[in-house]
Amino acid sequence: MTAGVARAGAGPAAGPGEVLRLESVRKTFGGQVVLRDVGLAVPEHSVTALIGASGSGKSTLMRCVNLLERIDDGAIFLDGEEITDPRADEDAVRRRIGVVFQSYNLFPHMTVLDNITLAPRRVHRAGRAEAEARALELLERLGLAAKAKEYPDRLSGGQQQRVAIVRALAAGPRLLLLDEITAALDPVLVGEVLSVVRDLKEQGMTMVISTHEMGFAREVADQVCFLDDGVVLEQGPPEQVFGDPQEERTRRFLSRVVASGRLQG
Ligand SMILES: Nc1ncnc2c1ncn2[C@@H]1O[C@H](COP(=O)(O)OP(=O)(O)OP(=O)(O)O)[C@@H](O)[C@H]1O
Ligand SMILES: [Mg+2]
């Protein structure tokens, strides 16, 4: 067993106020092992950044947490409850997890407001007035109140991505998963979406983000997890993982990132 694998798997001991916990999670697609032995603990009000090469399993990990993929082995806990237990109520679990992906996935034929209130009204059975009041309050907070009645194609990419974030927040989730939410945006729009994430952090939202924006991960994350070959090879505060990586493979990954100019910020 390598040092890296020893640190993976079960992860640190469960602490109070832990929102998410992965224990020895294994996920394969056909014969390919994507997550081998992943352990991760996400404390309440903290931001965890998943970094790693393309194909290292960041999106897969998030899809497993949101139960879009079924894990082959191990366990995932949300607020101490095992959500990968076959008896868990998947819809109830998803209601507690907000997800935003790289592509905003807004419905083009619905206004911003209807996009946001669709799930609260259908899934959470909130009344229209209540759902719209909450949506407008969130839009206001993200500087989008004027866009409530617009259709998505009349919005910039950054605005659409912020609407997708509002939509994920509309149900009042316990945990927010943000998967490469700036990858499709040009640099100016990246800034406005990242400042929303900063605000959410200040408000105490617990988040897991995957990003290739290392400067941002360094700034916003409380812990950084480097995924490599199916395990969390290295994890720690950003100063340590970026400033003094312990594993050769982390160092190699980061030097490639520096070479591509993505570690500033
Ligand atoms: N539904 C699927 N069926 C088969 N293989 C899949 C599926 N989803 C992901 N994979 C494979 O799992 C591996 C991990 O993919 P994943 O999308 O999780 O990587 P990632 O770290 O998010 O990469 P990126 O940085 O490019 O977004 C890849 O080899 C991918 O081809
Ligand atoms: Mg991905």
Side-chain angles (χ1 to χ4, degrees):
M1 199 185 242
T2 69
V5 173
R7 263 204 293 289
E18 189 177 89
V19 173
L20 179 71
R21 178 180 189 80
L22 276 70
E23 283 181 1
S24 306
V25 167
R26 180 179 177 84
K27 175 66 191 169
T28 59
F29 289 112
Q32 187 195 359
V33 183
V34 176
L35 305 177
R36 189 176 309 277
D37 182 20
V38 168
L40 179 67
V42 176
E44 192 173 21
H45 309 308
S46 73
V47 177
T48 297
L50 303 176
I51 63 169
S54 181
S56 60
K58 304 178 295 295
S59 297
T60 301
L61 190 159
M62 292 198 187
R63 291 172 59 81
C64 290
V65 169
N66 196 36
L67 306 182
L68 290 168
E69 301 286 353
R70 196 176 289 275
I71 61 175
D72 297 302
D73 205 355
I76 302 177
F77 300 85
L78 185 65
D79 283 324
E81 177 203 336
E82 191 193 339
I83 61 175
T84 41
D85 185 317
R87 292 161 300 185
D89 178 347
E90 294 190 4
D91 291 333
V93 169
R94 289 200 194 97
R95 261 176 251 151
R96 287 149 63 197
I97 303 176
V99 190
V100 183
F101 293 110
Q102 170 180 344
S103 52
Y104 341 111
N105 298 319
L106 297 174
F107 292 112
H109 61 286
M110 293 169 71
T111 65
V112 163
L113 194 58
D114 287 340
N115 262 285
I116 296 165
T117 59
L118 182 71
R121 286 194 285 129
R122 290 239 177 105
V123 184
H124 309 276
R125 297 187 190 89
R128 176 183 279 271
E130 181 198 335
E132 291 193 346
R134 167 133 179 98
L136 287 169
E137 182 195 313
L138 287 166
L139 284 169
E140 180 83 49
R141 236 164 67 190
L142 272 69
L144 290 164
K147 304 292 184 188
K149 302 286 183 185
E150 289 284 11
Y151 288 87
D153 66 355
R154 301 276 302 268
L155 272 56
S156 73
Q159 289 168 339
Q160 291 187 44
Q161 193 57 290
R162 281 185 286 154
V163 170
I165 294 172
V166 169
R167 184 173 57 178
L169 290 171
R174 235 343 235 156
L175 171 70
L176 201 54
L177 306 176
L178 305 176
D179 189 6
E180 291 292 345
I181 57 169
T182 59
L185 303 176
D186 69 44
V188 177
L189 302 181
V190 167
E192 63 182 45
V193 170
L194 294 186
S195 84
V196 167
V197 178
R198 256 180 227 117
D199 290 348
L200 290 172
K201 178 186 162 90
E202 262 173 41
Q203 290 152 24
M205 177 61 70
T206 307
M207 292 182 272
V208 176
I209 65 176
S210 86
T211 185
H212 289 284
E213 305 275 341
M214 298 302 154
F216 182 65
R218 188 175 209 159
E219 174 207 322
V220 82
D222 299 293
Q223 67 172 340
V224 175
C225 297
F226 174 57
L227 274 181
D228 183 72
D229 196 26
V231 299
V232 177
L233 183 63
E234 181 156 1
Q235 72 183 79
E239 316 79 74
Q240 189 213 302
V241 175
F242 291 119
D244 184 23
Q246 303 299 300
E247 298 284 337
E248 175 58 26
R249 291 181 66 90
T250 317
R251 281 196 285 274
R252 247 186 287 155
F253 170 75
L254 290 173
S255 61
R256 283 202 306 274
V257 170
V258 170
S260 69
R262 297 190 87 147
L263 194 56
Q264 319 96 326

